[in-house]
Amino acid sequence: MARFVIISVVVIAAFAAAAVVEARVGPIDVAPTNLITNPLGAIIDNGRKITGTVVDECAWTCDHVAAGNKKMCNTLRKLPGVSSPKELLTAAVKLSMRKAKAARARFEAAARAAEKGTPMESILDTCKEGYDNTVSALQEVQRCIDANDSKASLITKMSAATTFTGDCGNAYEERELEPSLALKATKNNVNRVVTGALAIAAKLKL
């Protein structure tokens, strides 16, 4: 009887101690209810991903392009509505088209102002035509994206666009002339964004 009393006292004391601990630090769950696992295995803590196997493919793409293209890629992937590789490439193509169209307009205006029959007029006309072709090639790329065409086809058409952007620089080099600072900046900007779009296309997981 004495042994039973002693055991009862010990059990009661243990429960009392546990109650004190729980009162101080809150209930301790074996499996916290604020952690859930989504179907892909990512652990979510109150809506925040803390571990798992889900990969942000847009971020992965930007991490794997060449250093010179990372800034453009990361800027585009943060735009509203860009949440997939396809949307990332679409954003890059649209940016490239805007830049190429603006370049065409600037070189066309410069050609109209140039002295007629001079080498510079011929160069400026070549630049204008090159940017026309760049826009057409980029439109073909966008059609491929919309049609879920193969990656090989996308790369081929994006490569064509980069070739056309080089026509302007080649025209200057052939005549051993230099564009004005403003036109040079325009030319370089188009080259940068179209090359960046090609880099994104090359790394996409479609």
Side-chain angles (χ1 to χ4, degrees), residues 60-140:
W60 183 95
T61 299
C62 294
D63 286 342
H64 287 77
V65 297
N69 302 310
K70 287 185 185 296
K71 182 177 180 180
M72 170 183 159
C73 187
N74 281 308
T75 298
L76 292 175
R77 78 177 179 84
K78 295 173 184 177
L79 292 176
V82 176
S83 59
S84 71
K86 181 178 177 180
E87 291 165 348
L88 177 61
L89 181 56
T90 293
V93 170
K94 287 182 177 179
L95 173 63
S96 297
M97 279 196 281
R98 287 199 303 271
K99 297 293 186 180
K101 287 177 180 178
R104 182 202 182 283
R106 290 191 184 100
F107 278 92
E108 184 179 27
R112 287 197 302 267
E115 186 178 348
K116 303 304 178 184
T118 62
M120 185 57 70
E121 182 192 27
S122 176
I123 291 171
L124 295 171
D125 281 337
T126 298
C127 290
K128 180 187 71 174
E129 182 179 354
Y131 294 127
D132 262 338
N133 292 333
T134 300
V135 171
S136 296
L138 290 168
Q139 289 170 339
E140 283 293 319

Side-chain angles (χ1 to χ4, degrees), residues 33 41 45 52 54 65 83 101 120 130 133 146 153 166-167 176 183:
T33 56
D45 180 3
V54 177
V65 297
S83 59
K101 287 177 180 178
M120 185 57 70
N133 292 333
D146 294 339
S153 182
D167 290 347
E176 298 183 348
L183 291 179

Side-chain angles (χ1 to χ4, degrees), residues 139-176:
Q139 289 170 339
E140 283 293 319
V141 173
Q142 188 58 55
R143 280 191 280 272
C144 284
I145 296 172
D146 294 339
N148 293 317
D149 210 342
S150 67
K151 183 175 178 178
S153 182
L154 285 173
I155 297 298
T156 298
K157 294 184 184 302
M158 274 303 317
S159 296
T162 60
T163 299
F164 290 130
T165 62
D167 290 347
C168 187
N170 293 338
Y172 277 103
E173 290 177 6
E174 287 170 3
R175 299 298 183 94
E176 298 183 348

